[in-house]
Amino acid sequence: MSTIDVKVPDIGDFKDVPVIEVFVKPGDSVKAEDPLVTLESDKATMDVPAPSAGTVKDLRVKLGDKVSEGSLILTLDAAAPGAGKAAAATTASSPSLPSQPSSAPGKQTPQPAAPSPPAKPGSAAQGAPSVTVVKVPDIGDFKDVPVIEVFVKPGDSVKAEDSLVTLESDKATMDVPAPSSGVVKEIKVKQGDKVSEGSVILTLETPAPAAPSAGEPARVPPAQAAPPPPPDAKPPSPLSESAQPRPAAAPAAAVDAEGFKAAHASPSVRAFARELGVDLARVMGTGPKERILHEDVQRYVKQALTAPAATPVASGAAGAALGLLPWPQIDFAKYGEIEKKPLSRIKKISGANLHRNWVMIPHVTNCEDADVTELEAFRVQLNKENEKSGVKLTMLAFLIRACVAALKKFPDFNASLDGDSLVYKKYFHIGFAADTPNGLVVPVVKNADQKGVLAIAAETSALAAKAREGKLGPADMQGGCFSISSLGGLGGTYFTPIINAPEVAILGVCRSTTRPVWDGTAFAPRLILPLSLSYDHRVIDGASAARFNSFLAGLLGDMRRAVL
């Protein structure tokens, strides 16, 4: 059995890179390629793998230490005679930092097939550009992942960290960023192709680095390297998705590890977010495919600082802020078998907003019944006549048109509070709640007053499909004036929908039922649609709400009134 010194391999022009995860301890047995530690620069993370099977003898680094190429990580009692050669090969190799987080401890995953490093001076003519082959980095246990977007074409100039392509698994999307500045020479994939770790994406022509002295590899000058931390400084917050927060650097609000992992953001944005203690699971991205940008993180922090009441906080913290008893902490497992699943990112974002809206807006709900017997017969008739068009006319389309007419008659419902002023909107953008596997979202039909019911039906159907597929962009969910939450065929009679701030009202709709209604001479079967109108009592009084809901019910009873 031989002893191997496992050192930090060539990690490019990086020095003082923090150790953000240590997967082993002295005495642990490891297999070849098992991750030993995780390092992270300001651009990416990488694992240092075991060069061969063996037993960890002596660990030389700890969480928070800063290392550079050649730093000793640990000593390994190798199980095979040839392990020494494997170690030498490992320390001499030059893997580039992948753009995605490292794999979990114990998982036998080869090092990411990351972009090939440019040739070092002396191996090519100085001054000549080098060609970098950009490959799919480590994407975990995913294979045959589709390319859903290609951002560049041959001849395009890109900067380091610019997005090249977007991949999408059944759980999340990720961008593959440019490893450095350069010009795209050749693209090897197209939209719709399926790729796996190591698949070639494109070739990138990069300018030659400034020529160093003969035989000396290019390095970051010592003056540019980060100064060592003072002895009493806390270690940096872990920036790897697989890392657990350390007590010394724990943020005020807990960061959900699974949500952070699933967030669509580049390594540099992840590092920036963790430096500020921001949970990316709570940040809405405005980049391509809702990718979270630096500006989104900055905007989130500014909102948290300027509007503390709107900042999502844990239940216990929220209760304390309101002077309530702390949230009960219970060990449910002691009463029986349990299963714990993290909230989806959508539920966490919408839940925080709903909590804020419920606490800050004085809700009152007005209930009304609409007789939609003739309207439903008309809808069924239109669907038969337009069967070949492929557009299915829904009750929601009529509701949107009727709401537009009601908003025009009662402009207070198409307004928003701005301090001590009321902002009246001259446009009519109607949001509707869409149920998705990941939670509730509210797409918005823009300029609904300029569209007929068939056009609205087609648009709501398309937006609902995008919502179910997780492809709604921020623009699809912004600018709403009034919202509709329809339980459709799910059931129920009346409920109190929560107002979607900064709107001042929302309409809840339940399942229509046939009821006997007295027509003056006899009871006749009529199709009744229950309406629940929640309104902001700071802006709207009870009389106005009753008039609005009564007028709306009248329109649904006879849609001809909508053209008056």
Side-chain angles (χ1 to χ4, degrees):
M1 180 177 290
S2 59
T3 300
I4 301 172
D5 287 339
V6 181
K7 300 180 180 180
V8 176
D10 181 359
I11 53 175
D13 291 332
F14 295 99
K15 283 181 178 279
D16 297 327
V17 179
V19 176
I20 61 169
E21 188 87 35
V22 179
F23 297 119
V24 295
K25 61 183 183 298
D28 282 356
S29 295
V30 296
K31 298 185 291 294
E33 297 299 327
D34 275 0
L36 303 175
V37 298
T38 298
L39 316 178
E40 183 162 51
S41 72
D42 60 344
K43 293 184 177 180
T45 62
M46 70 166 287
D47 284 352
V48 176
S52 67
T55 303
V56 177
K57 184 178 180 182
D58 187 20
L59 190 62
R60 299 299 183 90
V61 294
K62 63 182 183 301
L63 202 64
D65 283 355
K66 292 187 177 182
V67 296
S68 303
E69 179 184 340
S71 298
L72 181 61
I73 296 173
L74 53 81
T75 55
L76 186 69
D77 282 337
K85 294 181 180 179
T90 301
T91 55
S93 61
S94 304
S96 297
L97 293 177
S99 63
Q100 284 297 303
S102 58
S103 55
K107 173 182 156 189
Q108 296 188 43
T109 305
Q111 274 296 289
S116 303
K120 292 186 177 181
S123 62
Q126 292 189 10
S130 59
V131 175
T132 300
V133 178
V134 182
K135 301 179 181 180
V136 176
D138 180 3
I139 53 176
D141 291 325
F142 295 105
K143 294 198 173 190
D144 298 327
V145 180
V147 177
I148 62 171
E149 191 149 8
V150 179
F151 297 113
V152 295
K153 60 184 183 298
D156 282 357
S157 295
V158 296
K159 300 186 295 293
E161 291 300 315
D162 278 358
S163 296
L164 302 176
V165 299
T166 298
L167 314 179
E168 183 169 54
S169 71
D170 58 345
K171 292 186 178 180
T173 60
M174 66 163 279
D175 284 357
V176 177
S180 61
S181 300
V183 177
V184 176
K185 188 175 181 183
E186 186 180 5
I187 295 181
K188 299 299 183 81
V189 296
K190 62 182 183 301
Q191 191 169 346
D193 284 356
K194 293 187 176 181
V195 296
S196 303
E197 179 185 335
S199 299
V200 177
I201 296 172
L202 53 80
T203 55
L204 187 69
E205 194 171 76
T206 56
S213 58
E216 181 186 347
R219 297 283 183 237
V220 175
Q224 296 181 9
D232 59 344
K234 295 178 181 178
S237 299
L239 302 182
S240 166
E241 295 179 7
S242 60
Q244 297 298 320
R246 297 190 300 279
V255 174
D256 176 60
E258 290 299 320
F260 200 105
K261 183 175 181 179
H264 185 19
S266 68
S268 61
V269 171
R270 294 176 185 279
F272 182 55
R274 280 199 175 95
E275 182 181 348
L276 297 178
V278 172
D279 187 352
L280 285 181
R282 300 181 184 276
V283 180
M284 184 67 72
T286 59
K289 300 295 179 184
E290 297 185 49
R291 183 161 61 98
I292 299 172
L293 309 175
H294 271 81
E295 293 79 5
D296 299 324
V297 177
Q298 290 172 332
R299 188 180 305 110
Y300 179 88
V301 173
K302 287 179 181 178
Q303 289 174 349
L305 293 175
T306 58
T311 305
V313 292
S315 299
L322 295 172
L324 303 178
L325 291 173
W327 196 261
Q329 300 295 319
I330 300 173
D331 180 12
F332 298 102
K334 71 179 182 181
Y335 302 111
E337 184 179 354
I338 65 170
E339 181 182 5
K340 194 171 183 179
K341 295 182 178 180
L343 283 174
S344 69
R345 179 170 173 263
I346 289 177
K347 284 186 177 180
K348 282 191 289 188
I349 293 173
S350 61
N353 287 324
L354 291 170
H355 183 204
R356 175 201 61 196
N357 296 348
W358 180 253
V359 170
M360 297 187 67
I361 299 173
H363 283 65
V364 182
T365 304
N366 178 282
C367 299
E368 183 63 84
D369 289 337
D371 186 338
V372 294
T373 309
E374 280 76 22
L375 180 59
E376 175 62 14
F378 180 55
R379 185 186 73 83
V380 172
Q381 177 189 341
L382 284 179
N383 276 335
K384 288 181 179 178
E385 293 175 358
N386 294 279
E387 191 172 357
K388 295 182 179 179
S389 70
V391 177
K392 184 179 179 182
L393 194 56
T394 61
M395 184 61 72
L396 177 61
F398 286 105
L399 281 166
I400 290 176
R401 280 296 301 168
C403 285
V404 167
L407 292 172
K408 288 182 177 180
K409 184 172 179 65
F410 301 94
D412 281 357
F413 287 78
N414 197 36
S416 288
L417 271 174
D418 183 13
D420 293 330
S421 301
L422 201 56
V423 178
Y424 289 90
K425 302 159 192 171
K426 304 299 183 181
Y427 51 87
F428 299 89
H429 301 341
I430 310 298
F432 65 96
D435 188 24
T436 75
N438 292 322
L440 186 72
V441 293
V442 184
V444 177
V445 178
K446 306 291 176 59
N447 300 311
D449 59 317
Q450 302 171 22
K451 299 169 183 175
V453 288
L454 288 172
I456 291 173
E459 187 170 345
T460 54
S461 177
L463 287 170
K466 286 178 69 175
R468 288 190 296 271
E469 296 166 3
K471 296 182 178 179
L472 283 177
D476 294 324
M477 297 182 284
Q478 294 174 348
C481 304
F482 183 87
S483 295
I484 300 173
S485 178
S486 175
L487 298 181
L490 296 178
T493 49
Y494 308 97
F495 67 105
T496 297
I498 298 178
I499 297 166
N500 187 19
E503 298 167 17
V504 295
I506 182 172
L507 180 70
V509 183
C510 289
R511 181 173 60 190
S512 56
T513 56
T514 301
R515 303 181 199 169
V517 178
W518 182 256
D519 63 4
T521 57
F523 283 102
R526 306 296 293 179
L527 187 64
I528 304 300
L529 183 68
L531 305 177
S532 302
L533 177 71
S534 288
Y535 56 93
D536 186 339
H537 212 344
R538 298 172 299 177
V539 178
I540 299 163
D541 57 35
S544 296
R547 293 189 187 99
F548 181 97
N549 224 7
S550 178
F551 178 76
L552 182 62
L555 290 178
L556 295 172
D558 184 359
M559 281 297 291
R560 292 174 298 180
R561 297 174 182 268
V563 300
L564 297 178

